[in-house]
């Protein structure tokens, strides 16, 4: 198959999923054409069967704002025609699904057809898509997609109810490379952040408000009263300064280690004891899955698709949004009970392997592509 993939190329989970899917498809012999404004950050080297088509935006002085959606549509059309694509797969509804719809209509004028699949990831449905200005367009682009997938059952249900839709939506969970993300005996990174006898909590995100990163620092404050512990925060974004301020205010500046954006996240994850995900909205929680695959149990909130990933009292614990006391209690419980910790760690790894392995999920996408193409 020749597949065009459009995604946000930056650090977000939707771009990671799209890129890993493209890489997996390419390794199976499919030609994968990424169409975006920058090369996805995980495509750092030449890979056979992967091609990148950069969307250039026009800078004509009359256009006060960039016409990205139209430039993307034009680039899609160019790639559909000259690379003879069989299918387009867009990740995140706005504006990608709208651009794909437009490209499809223009292509139709020349008597040809191209189908497109939209994968819904999260805030395209739960936040941005609900803005009154976007809502009709998001609904329309979902209705007009030849196939729609959602990364959790939660997101499927939210899409159907939020937009009052009757559309068939296929749930295809996010996936993980279980060979790259795996538990290891040697943990060289650990000595950089914690001394012997200290425990390590970790959180990775883009530090947006929905991630409630400050809650991780408040959890640390409580845990530290019982157990010597460090908190490693990986990533960057709007809430980073507020987190640094809170760490100083609570006199935890030496115990909270800000690493900024990191590429080899698996090495850092394997050095941690517990992963904290206190989000107020999360359609799936890819970074929690990365931790679980490394054998790191997760303490999360009960929002969105998280309960489809984290099994309470088995692979970690689930608490209500903002319930710092409970999250701290769960953390202390796991960090002070070695037998329980080991079984949670094993359960986390097993869950990643048995339910979210790349080799289980990528074939589901291929099967879905085939069914859409044949429908
Ligand atoms: O929807 C977003 O906020 C952006 C998106 C991203 O690009 O990071 O995140 C969503 O997609 C991820 C990959 O499918 C999911 O793991 C995240 O849970 C989801 N984020 C939210 O729902 C807040």
């Amino acid at each position: 198959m020749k597949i065009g993939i459009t995604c946000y190329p930056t650090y977000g989970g939707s771009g990671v999923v799209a890129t890993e899917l493209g890489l997996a498809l390419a390794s199976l012999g499919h030609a994968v054409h990424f169409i975006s404004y920058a090369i996805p950050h995980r495509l750092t080297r030449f890979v056979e069967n992967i091609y990148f088509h950069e969307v250039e935006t026009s800078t004509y002085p009359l256009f006060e704002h960039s016409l990205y959606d139209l430039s993307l549509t034009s680039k899609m059309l160019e790639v559909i025609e000259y690379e003879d694509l069989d299918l387009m797969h867009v990740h995140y509804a706005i504006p990608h699904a709208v651009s794909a719809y437009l490209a499809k209509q223009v292509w139709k004028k020349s008597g040809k057809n191209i189908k497109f699949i939209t994968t819904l990831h999260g805030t395209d449905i739960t936040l941005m898509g609900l803005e009154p200005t976007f809502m009709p367009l998001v609904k329309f682009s979902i209705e007009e997609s030849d196939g729609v997938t959602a990364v959790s059952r939660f997101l499927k249900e939210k899409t159907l109810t939020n937009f009052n839709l009757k559309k068939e939506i296929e749930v295809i969970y996010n996936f993980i490379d279980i060979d790259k993300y795996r538990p290891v005996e040697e943990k060289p990174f650990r000595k950089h952040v914690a001394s012997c006898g200290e425990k390590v909590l970790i959180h990775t995100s883009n530090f947006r408000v929905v991630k409630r990163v400050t809650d991780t620092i408040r959890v640390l404050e409580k845990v530290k009263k019982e157990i010597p512990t460090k908190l490693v925060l990986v990533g960057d974004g709007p809430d980073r300064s507020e987190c640094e301020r809170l760490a100083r205010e609570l006199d935890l500046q030496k115990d909270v280690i800000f690493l900024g954006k990191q590429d080899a996240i698996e090495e850092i994850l394997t050095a941690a004891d517990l992963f904290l995900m206190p989000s107020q909205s999360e359609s799936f929680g890819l970074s929690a899955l990365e931790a679980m695959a490394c054998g790191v149990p997760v303490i999360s909130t009960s929002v969105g698709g998280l309960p489809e990933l984290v099994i309470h009292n088995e692979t970690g614990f689930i608490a209500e949004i903002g319930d710092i006391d409970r999250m701290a209690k769960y953390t202390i419980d796991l960090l002070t009970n070695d037998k329980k910790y080991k079984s949670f760690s094993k359960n986390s790894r097993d869950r990643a392997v048995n339910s979210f392995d790349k080799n289980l999920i990528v074939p589901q996408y291929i099967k879905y592509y085939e069914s859409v193409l044949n429908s």
Side-chain angles (χ1 to χ4, degrees), residues 319-334:
E320 291 307 309
I321 302 174
D323 194 343
I324 310 287
D325 286 339
R326 193 161 284 272
M327 286 186 243
K329 186 180 150 294
Y330 286 145
T331 304
I332 294 164
D333 179 23
L334 266 186

Side-chain angles (χ1 to χ4, degrees), residues 328-365:
K329 186 180 150 294
Y330 286 145
T331 304
I332 294 164
D333 179 23
L334 266 186
L335 294 183
T336 51
N337 185 336
D338 201 39
K339 194 163 164 238
K340 193 170 186 176
Y341 179 83
K342 281 197 176 116
S343 97
F344 274 48
S345 168
K346 183 180 177 307
N347 294 342
S348 299
R349 169 70 185 173
D350 288 350
R351 178 145 180 78
V353 170
N354 296 332
S355 302
F356 303 102
D357 178 359
K358 181 171 82 171
N359 297 315
L360 295 173
I361 306 289
V362 172
Q364 293 179 21
Y365 272 111

Side-chain angles (χ1 to χ4, degrees), residues 11-15 17 92 121-124 126 151 174 206 208 210-211 281-287:
Y11 276 76
S14 60
V17 172
Y92 207 88
H121 280 273
T123 48
D124 44 354
T126 57
V151 298
N174 286 336
N206 45 20
R208 283 177 303 160
V210 286
K211 302 290 175 183
S281 168
E282 205 68 66
S283 67
F284 180 84
L286 184 63
S287 47

Side-chain angles (χ1 to χ4, degrees), residues 251-322:
D251 198 20
L252 291 171
Q253 63 273 35
K254 291 213 173 66
D255 305 298
V256 184
I257 297 126
F258 291 87
L259 293 182
K261 288 176 183 168
Q262 295 286 328
D263 274 336
I265 188 74
E266 62 280 8
E267 283 167 29
I268 302 169
L269 283 171
T270 49
D273 297 299
L274 278 184
F275 187 93
L276 301 179
M277 184 167 254
S279 306
Q280 79 184 42
S281 168
E282 205 68 66
S283 67
F284 180 84
L286 184 63
S287 47
L289 174 59
E290 290 174 344
M292 287 165 67
C294 293
V296 178
V298 173
I299 292 180
S300 80
T301 48
S302 56
V303 299
L306 284 171
E308 293 171 56
L309 174 65
V310 180
I311 310 290
H312 183 70
N313 209 14
E314 214 177 290
T315 67
F317 287 112
I318 293 179
E320 291 307 309
I321 302 174

Side-chain angles (χ1 to χ4, degrees), residues 19 30 41 46-47 49 56 67 83 94 99 150 153 157 175 178 194 202 240 245 249 278 299 305 312 328 358 373:
T19 312
H30 300 286
H41 86 277
F46 169 79
V47 180
N49 296 328
E56 293 141 40
L67 303 182
E83 302 296 345
I94 357 177
S99 293
R153 287 201 306 273
E157 293 312 319
F175 57 89
I178 55 160
I202 193 164
R240 162 99 180 246
R245 193 200 57 73
E249 184 188 303
I299 292 180
H312 183 70
K358 181 171 82 171
L373 284 172

